[in-house]
Amino acid sequence: MLSIKNLHVSVGDKPILKGINLEIKPGEIHAIMGPNGSGKSTLSHILSGKSGYTVTEGSATYQGKDLLEMPPEIRAREGVFLAFQYPVEIPGVSNVYLLKAALNSIRKHHGQSEVDAMDFLTLVKGKVRLLEMDEKFLYRAVNEGFSGGEKKRNEILQMAILEPKLCILDETDSGLDIDALKIVSEGVNSLRSPDRSFVMVTHYQRLLDYIKPDFVHVLANGQIVKSGGAELALELEEKGYSWLEDAEASA
Amino acid sequence: MAKANSSAYVERYADVASSLCGQTVPWLQQQRADAILQFTEYGFPAIRDEDWRYTNVSVLDKQHFAMAQKSVSAVITADWLKAYQLVDAWSLVLVDGYFSAEHSVLADLPEGVTVMSLAKALQDAQYATVLEGKINGAVSQDENGFVAFNGAYFVDGVLIHVPAKLQVSKPIQVLHIATQELTAINTRSVIVADELSEVQLIETFAGLECAYLSVAVTEVFVGQNANVTLHKVQVESEKAIHFGGTYVKQARDARFRHDNFALGGVLVRSDVHTDLDYASECELNGLYLGVKRQHIDNHTRINHLKPHGISRQLYKGVLDDRARGVFQGRVVVAEDAQKTDSQMNNRNLLLSSDAEADTKPQLEIYADDVKCAHGVTVGQLDEKSIFYLQSRCVDEETARNMLTFAFANEMVDKVKIKSLHDLILGQVLTRFPQEGINKEWL
Ligand SMILES: Nc1ncnc2c1ncn2[C@@H]1O[C@H](COP(=O)(O)OP(=O)(O)OP(=O)(O)O)[C@@H](O)[C@H]1O
Ligand SMILES: [Mg+2]
């Protein structure tokens, strides 16, 4: 699904990612943890095509194609989805408008006709119920005036409707209370399938109680300093990151 | 001494003066005489005048516009009219400034409501009495050169009168249509809403594809606790020069709202001035879209004369190509106007590096217990928003269109009359020719 090799990324002269290697196979769930400022969001952004970064070395291959060459919208249409750490408010563009525009772009990209209006509403309303949202959110401007938790839920709603192949969740659990976390996790779990992969950036092992990862990676200072199974998250919860950084420094 | 740019109009005034409306009304004859004197002395506004510093009308030096005559043949087709005339409203149509009974739809007006040609009203002693003190009652001849020019030259216009306590069931539209190349069109309109009445009005300015000068002055008198909403939809032809002045007097507790859509014309100036009495409220909204070499100047002035007045202003501009937009907003709070609550906002979106926005909010506050705020922005589309949309499969160009449209649409969405909303939306969309906006999704 996704193969990242020795990826180095800078902002201006400042190196941020310093040689990331990551292999993600279809159906796998990878959790990425790590201290603030270690480069987790940068990795999410570079995978989804945000401008302002320079790749100085390395590659990212998605379904056999050079991911870094594709414009962001093509990546999205090919199935890469980023749930933002800080979803952007778009006044004047309604949620339902954006969802339909997005869905139709994907369909067009795959040579399909536009979605039928009734089918679309049925689909969307079903997902709204799944995420226990109010239908009113559909007709509000994208994220405008939403609470932090509502914004995160809205990201997952979009994901559930667009059915991407590679789902990157950047701290989707931050700012969610327990009830909302359960609902969002159920939403994510309902999307799990053998041909869909997840990259979940999180600070909290709590999320991983609900969505069990196959692998946990620790990103520190722009590098993956440790990888392991789900149990690594528990260890991190207990010990924090400093032992890893210390180990790295002394290595 | 006549200024160069006005001399031709001054010299030829004598030729037409005797054919202008209101010949039998002595006070109006006197006002016209004063107006042409004023115009002779000062001519059209010059950029050294602070209120006109961003808008140069010296093109009127080079190009003379002959006074529009009443056209004899019906040049506008029903189909063309359909694009501008609202079906669920009463409408009075002025073609080249002159009342057109043929195109107007005025049957079954509520009892007591007057919607009629100003020229006709001036022929009738009963209406002429209503008009005395109203024409040039909300604006003075020396306000600016266009007002004086208009005061001397207006050929017709409309009188709208809503009696006390009446809520007019449907909107009333005044549709100005220009059809003649290189002509000057002068209209004067008077709107009187008596106490406790309520009315929704639309002034539409449109024209066939030709160059003309359209000068329209509207005076509005909002009675005590009355409620008037006036929408201005300016979709003049691409080559038109437009001056529109809306001058308002609000009585105690009166509410006035003005929605100003400035979409057409090549050189456009719009004045909206209002005087607020005790606890009266006004809301001034504006959207100006400039493309190519359009120049659109919006000038507002709110005079808070008495305590407890509320004013809200939001003007938004979208400027592409080499277009230039101007917002000059002035709020004056008199010494006596304690507890005034005023907000003024102007937001500009520049879509090209050659586009320009000049914004100048001015607050003059002479009272000490007031709440006055203002904010202006001039900026480009937000890159974060563009990336967010791209990450949701939308290509960059469409994302830009969507955001631009969303920015403008905030103003369109404020219009609650469905047919008018759709008409304006249609006009806005034709000015975003890209494929990006799919109307059915809205
Ligand atoms: N546009 C930028 N300009 C300058 N520095 C940047 C930019 N973007 C990111 N950085 C820096 O890169 C580093 C990594 O940032 P990033 O947002 O990827 O961290 P993170 O791991 O997601 O942190 P958090 O856990 O706080 O979300 C930080 O030091 C940050 O300040
Ligand atoms: Mg982050």
Side-chain angles (χ1 to χ4, degrees):
Chain A
M1 171 82 55
L2 178 69
S3 170
I4 302 175
K5 293 213 165 76
N6 190 30
L7 187 65
H8 289 252
V9 173
S10 302
V11 172
D13 296 335
K14 185 181 169 194
I16 296 177
L17 299 182
K18 304 165 186 169
I20 303 278
N21 290 292
L22 195 59
E23 286 293 329
I24 298 176
K25 300 214 168 58
E28 289 178 352
I29 298 193
H30 291 244
I32 297 186
M33 304 183 81
N36 292 120
S38 56
K40 304 182 298 296
S41 290
T42 303
L43 180 61
S44 311
H45 288 152
I46 200 84
L47 292 177
S48 46
K50 190 176 180 181
S51 61
Y53 302 96
T54 321
V55 175
T56 51
E57 228 184 302
S59 66
T61 312
Y62 170 72
Q63 293 187 325
K65 295 178 192 149
D66 182 353
L67 185 66
L68 304 177
E69 279 296 300
M70 295 182 210
E73 65 272 18
I74 302 298
R75 301 181 197 199
R77 292 172 197 169
E78 291 268 330
V80 177
F81 184 93
L82 170 63
F84 283 64
Q85 180 174 4
Y86 303 109
V88 182
E89 298 194 9
I90 315 274
V93 177
S94 75
N95 245 339
V96 70
Y97 177 100
L98 179 58
L99 284 167
K100 196 161 181 179
L103 193 62
N104 278 331
S105 312
I106 294 174
R107 294 176 64 97
K108 196 170 164 200
H109 186 73
H110 292 110
Q112 294 165 318
S113 62
E114 291 203 346
V115 62
D116 169 82
M118 289 311 293
D119 294 350
F120 173 72
L121 272 185
T122 312
L123 166 74
V124 168
K125 288 186 176 173
K127 301 296 185 187
V128 163
R129 271 194 301 277
L130 174 74
L131 288 158
E132 299 186 24
M133 290 170 73
D134 191 322
E135 269 181 30
K136 287 199 191 98
F137 278 98
L138 287 173
Y139 302 98
R140 283 174 58 179
V142 178
N143 294 324
E144 193 185 29
F146 288 25
S147 72
E150 286 164 351
K151 285 181 184 167
K152 297 298 179 72
R153 223 185 271 206
N154 199 38
E155 296 287 286
I156 302 304
L157 173 72
Q158 296 175 354
M159 190 172 95
I161 289 163
L162 301 180
E163 303 190 318
K165 289 272 173 292
L166 175 63
C167 308
I168 305 166
L169 281 66
D170 191 358
E171 294 200 29
T172 299
D173 54 330
S174 301
L176 289 185
D177 57 34
I178 288 284
D179 288 337
L181 180 68
K182 278 186 195 159
I183 294 162
V184 163
S185 304
E186 276 163 30
V188 171
N189 284 326
S190 74
L191 283 170
R192 290 185 68 166
S193 87
D195 58 356
R196 180 171 294 130
S197 311
F198 293 83
V199 176
M200 297 193 306
V201 173
T202 181
H203 285 289
Y204 308 105
Q205 122 79 21
R206 187 183 69 161
L207 173 72
L208 310 180
D209 288 340
Y210 296 101
I211 309 170
K212 193 171 177 302
D214 301 299
F215 300 94
V216 175
H217 309 279
V218 180
L219 188 63
N221 192 22
Q223 288 181 316
I224 292 180
V225 295
K226 191 157 180 72
S227 297
E231 70 290 345
L232 177 57
L234 290 167
E235 203 177 341
L236 291 168
E237 178 100 324
E238 206 178 296
K239 299 201 219 164
Y241 300 112
S242 52
W243 61 284
L244 288 168
E245 288 173 282
D246 295 346
E248 190 201 6
S250 61
Chain B
M1 246 304 280
K3 297 285 168 294
N5 65 357
S6 54
S7 57
Y9 297 109
V10 171
E11 281 157 23
R12 290 173 207 187
Y13 187 67
D15 304 344
V16 295
S18 62
S19 65
L20 298 169
C21 63
Q23 293 296 317
T24 58
V25 183
W27 56 263
L28 182 62
Q29 291 304 97
Q30 184 56 51
Q31 287 184 355
R32 286 195 190 271
D34 294 345
I36 196 68
L37 270 181
Q38 179 75 28
F39 185 70
T40 306
E41 175 112 12
Y42 296 102
F44 289 114
I47 48 172
R48 62 176 178 277
D49 178 343
E50 189 57 24
D51 283 349
W52 289 81
R53 59 184 286 199
Y54 301 109
T55 297
N56 188 338
V57 297
S58 65
V59 57
L60 295 172
D61 281 337
K62 292 164 215 136
Q63 181 59 61
H64 183 78
F65 293 88
M67 291 305 137
Q69 304 297 310
K70 199 175 177 104
S71 68
V72 277
S73 60
V75 282
I76 37 177
T77 63
D79 245 16
W80 190 90
L81 205 60
K82 231 169 38 195
Y84 305 100
Q85 194 166 28
L86 297 174
V87 286
D88 49 0
W90 288 287
S91 57
L92 185 144
V93 179
L94 298 163
V95 178
D96 300 312
Y98 299 91
F99 173 60
S100 161
E102 176 197 348
H103 296 110
S104 299
V105 180
L106 294 167
D108 305 319
L109 276 162
E111 188 163 345
V113 173
T114 306
V115 179
M116 71 189 296
S117 143
L118 188 85
K120 276 201 177 153
L122 286 165
Q123 286 167 8
D124 184 313
Q126 177 202 338
Y127 297 115
T129 315
V130 176
L131 286 167
E132 184 164 9
K134 298 289 190 290
I135 294 180
N136 295 310
V139 64
S140 104
Q141 307 266 26
D142 59 7
E143 172 59 35
N144 67 49
F146 284 104
V147 173
F149 178 64
N150 180 275
Y153 268 111
F154 72 82
V155 296
D156 201 344
V158 60
L159 165 64
I160 297 176
H161 178 213
V162 182
K165 296 184 185 161
L166 193 99
Q167 182 184 10
V168 184
S169 54
K170 286 192 295 185
I172 300 167
Q173 180 183 27
V174 182
L175 177 48
H176 298 249
I177 298 169
T179 70
Q180 299 172 41
E181 180 79 16
L182 294 181
T183 56
I185 300 163
N186 269 290
T187 58
R188 178 68 65 120
S189 299
V190 172
I191 297 163
V192 183
D194 287 345
E195 61 175 32
L196 293 160
S197 65
E198 220 176 296
V199 63
Q200 305 235 46
L201 305 159
I202 299 112
E203 286 185 299
T204 306
F205 295 87
L208 301 183
E209 273 318 313
C210 51
Y212 54 88
L213 168 64
S214 160
V215 181
V217 173
T218 300
E219 297 180 84
V220 187
F221 301 85
V222 190
Q224 201 171 322
N225 211 9
N227 193 346
V228 172
T229 301
L230 175 56
H231 308 81
K232 176 174 175 178
V233 184
Q234 186 276 98
V235 286
E236 302 275 24
S237 97
E238 264 187 40
K239 290 185 243 164
I241 300 174
H242 174 96
F243 172 85
T246 305
Y247 305 98
V248 188
K249 288 226 177 290
Q250 295 183 241
R252 194 188 166 105
D253 299 315
R255 276 149 291 155
F256 175 71
R257 171 173 152 184
H258 192 258
D259 282 17
N260 186 358
F261 294 91
L263 310 177
V266 64
L267 175 58
V268 175
R269 161 73 171 225
S270 162
D271 278 11
V272 184
H273 296 180
T274 182
D275 288 350
L276 271 64
D277 201 325
Y278 192 92
S280 35
E281 296 179 25
C282 76
E283 180 181 338
L284 308 184
N285 299 311
L287 174 66
Y288 44 106
L289 298 185
V291 296
K292 298 179 185 167
R293 288 179 160 274
Q294 277 181 285
H295 178 111
I296 304 174
D297 180 350
N298 305 283
H299 189 275
T300 67
R301 189 190 303 154
I302 297 175
N303 293 315
H304 284 272
L305 300 172
K306 292 284 160 59
H308 293 287
I310 300 176
S311 62
R312 294 285 178 270
Q313 292 188 72
L314 176 59
Y315 265 72
K316 285 181 126 181
V318 180
L319 302 157
D320 201 354
D321 307 325
R322 308 180 66 84
R324 184 168 174 200
V326 179
F327 174 78
Q328 292 187 83
R330 188 153 147 222
V331 175
V332 184
V333 181
E335 202 178 334
D336 193 23
Q338 300 295 358
K339 304 285 179 192
T340 288
D341 175 357
S342 169
Q343 285 176 20
M344 167 163 51
N345 276 292
N346 175 228
R347 313 242 168 269
N348 294 282
L349 184 55
L350 300 182
L351 299 178
S352 101
S353 54
D354 293 325
E356 182 180 332
D358 298 291
T359 172
K360 195 173 132 206
Q362 287 170 280
L363 293 177
E364 282 171 46
I365 304 174
Y366 302 102
D368 50 24
D369 182 15
V370 300
K371 218 164 69 187
C372 293
H374 71 279
V376 301
T377 55
V378 177
Q380 280 113 39
L381 291 171
D382 174 35
E383 292 301 322
K384 274 197 189 118
S385 305
I386 293 169
F387 174 63
Y388 187 81
L389 292 173
Q390 282 183 286
S391 78
R392 298 298 178 259
C393 311
V394 179
D395 65 82
E396 184 179 338
E397 193 189 328
T398 307
R400 288 182 181 279
N401 290 340
M402 256 188 204
L403 293 170
T404 305
F405 177 73
F407 178 86
N409 194 42
E410 182 190 356
M411 305 315 292
V412 182
D413 260 355
K414 288 182 189 285
V415 177
K416 294 304 170 214
I417 303 165
K418 174 85 171 69
S419 57
L420 179 64
H421 171 274
D422 294 353
L423 190 154
I424 296 168
L425 183 63
Q427 287 291 335
V428 169
L429 286 172
T430 61
R431 287 164 170 84
F432 291 102
Q434 300 87 340
E435 290 284 302
I437 305 302
N438 189 334
K439 211 173 162 181
E440 278 146 33
W441 293 350
L442 299 175

